[in-house]
Amino acid sequence: MSTLAAPAAPAARRAWLTDLPVLLVAVVWGASYLAAKGITTTHTVVAVLVLRFAVVLPALVVAGWRGLRALTAPQWRGAAALGLVLSGIFLLETYGVVHTSATNAGLIISLTMIFTPLAEAVVTRKRPPRAFLAAASLSLLGVVLLTQGGGFTRPSVGDGLIFLAALARTVHVMAMSRIKALRDADDSASLSLTTVQLGTAVGVFAVLAAAGTGASPWAVAADFGAREWAGLLFLSVFCTFFAFFVQMWAVRRTSPSRVSLLLGTEPLWAAAVGIALGGERLGAVGLVGGVLVLVGTSWGRGVR
């Protein structure tokens, strides 16, 4: 018996060594809502986004320079189109988290896992399983209750913006799978295509900043203290640069489903960080709603 079990131990250790960095990505993504909330106001959203991506973009360009030169014109156009959608996602998420709790933001954004298969069903005209529709309904009910943590009131503007961000993430995923030039690209082009997307998003933020949408990036950077710079570097280095490379590294060493399952724990970490570090409280109704969102999205991932 011990002879048969011996080879399993190194394999299990290797699987854990792959899973741990992916789980860490889910943790930092979960913490990103509180980090963004801590350094951003309504007046500084665009400036913070410019700074966040301007910090990491040069490193991505240097790392993927050869790949960028190898991209075809359709791939550049497709990635740039996705970058426009991505800019909308970050604007909605960042404005949203300013006006709601980090816990709500992390849980509501997880609806992307439900919206994407529903959108796919509409496009392919294939009715999703009844169990999946039940899971989607449970998640939506959870969101309604989640936004009522302090009693039955109208959801906040921030809750609505995060809900729209979840829909925009769905559009982004669907567009990625429908744009032929991107769908047919090999794995080696992933870094370059992502760099083009982020570069396009930074371009949008820079145009908005130049048009006078809120404070200028330079003024915000000059006003930042040590705490704000630490938050910005956390968002840039860990939530963008580190997270992207870990995903690319992990998907070649394990299954995409396993990576997706581990990343699906993001809302749990968002709630944990928001409550433990941000002092946020859901209330009894909100707590039930948060549990329903988690149960519904987990169930939906399993049956779709």
Side-chain angles (χ1 to χ4, degrees):
M1 191 166 180
S2 57
T3 351
L4 292 174
R13 278 196 296 271
R14 282 196 301 272
W16 177 243
L17 288 173
T18 302
D19 288 350
L20 191 58
V22 179
L23 189 60
L24 187 55
V25 169
V27 173
V28 298
W29 276 354
S32 68
Y33 300 101
L34 187 62
K37 191 174 180 66
I39 65 170
T40 315
T41 66
T42 305
H43 194 57
T44 63
V45 166
V46 172
V48 168
L49 286 171
V50 170
L51 294 171
R52 173 180 175 176
F53 292 103
V55 167
V56 75
L57 192 61
L60 287 173
V61 171
V62 169
W65 179 248
R66 187 175 298 177
L68 284 170
R69 295 178 63 187
L71 291 180
T72 64
Q75 287 174 332
W76 273 92
R77 287 194 297 270
L82 286 180
L84 293 176
V85 180
L86 197 63
S87 66
I89 293 169
F90 279 110
L91 286 166
L92 287 167
E93 281 185 2
T94 313
Y95 274 114
V97 81
V98 167
H99 296 289
T100 189
S101 68
T103 304
N104 276 24
L107 290 167
I108 294 171
I109 203 70
S110 69
L111 287 176
T112 304
M113 290 183 283
I114 294 293
F115 291 157
T116 303
L118 287 175
E120 196 173 4
V122 170
V123 170
T124 59
R125 297 183 181 179
K126 289 181 182 175
R127 185 182 174 83
R130 287 183 183 178
F132 179 82
L133 294 175
S137 302
L138 192 66
S139 297
L140 290 173
L141 173 62
V143 166
V144 172
L145 295 179
L146 176 67
T147 61
Q148 311 303 311
F152 287 96
T153 57
R154 183 178 299 177
S156 71
V157 171
D159 294 329
L161 290 172
I162 298 294
F163 187 86
L164 291 175
L167 290 173
R169 279 195 184 190
T170 300
V171 171
H172 186 261
V173 172
M174 292 298 293
M176 212 180 317
S177 67
R178 304 290 291 181
I179 298 175
K180 189 176 185 305
L182 303 184
R183 191 178 64 241
D184 296 344
D186 56 31
D187 289 345
S188 61
S190 299
L191 174 62
S192 305
L193 293 171
T194 301
T195 303
V196 174
Q197 286 187 65
L198 291 178
T200 303
V202 171
V204 171
F205 304 145
V207 167
L208 290 175
T213 308
S216 79
W218 327 117
V220 170
D223 285 344
F224 270 4
R227 186 182 68 84
E228 288 79 12
W229 275 110
L232 182 72
L233 290 173
F234 172 76
L235 290 170
S236 296
V237 176
F238 289 98
C239 301
T240 307
F241 192 77
F242 167 77
F244 171 70
F245 275 109
V246 165
Q247 284 182 88
M248 280 213 314
W249 170 81
V251 84
R252 288 166 173 77
R253 288 163 177 77
T254 185
S255 70
S257 300
R258 193 173 179 89
V259 171
S260 175
L261 188 65
L262 291 165
L263 292 178
T265 63
E266 176 191 345
L268 279 173
W269 300 111
V273 170
I275 292 167
L277 300 181
E280 298 177 352
R281 294 291 177 266
L282 286 175
V285 174
L287 184 59
V288 171
V291 170
L292 290 180
V293 171
L294 293 173
V295 170
T297 51
S298 300
W299 183 16
R301 276 204 314 275
V303 297
R304 74 189 183 196

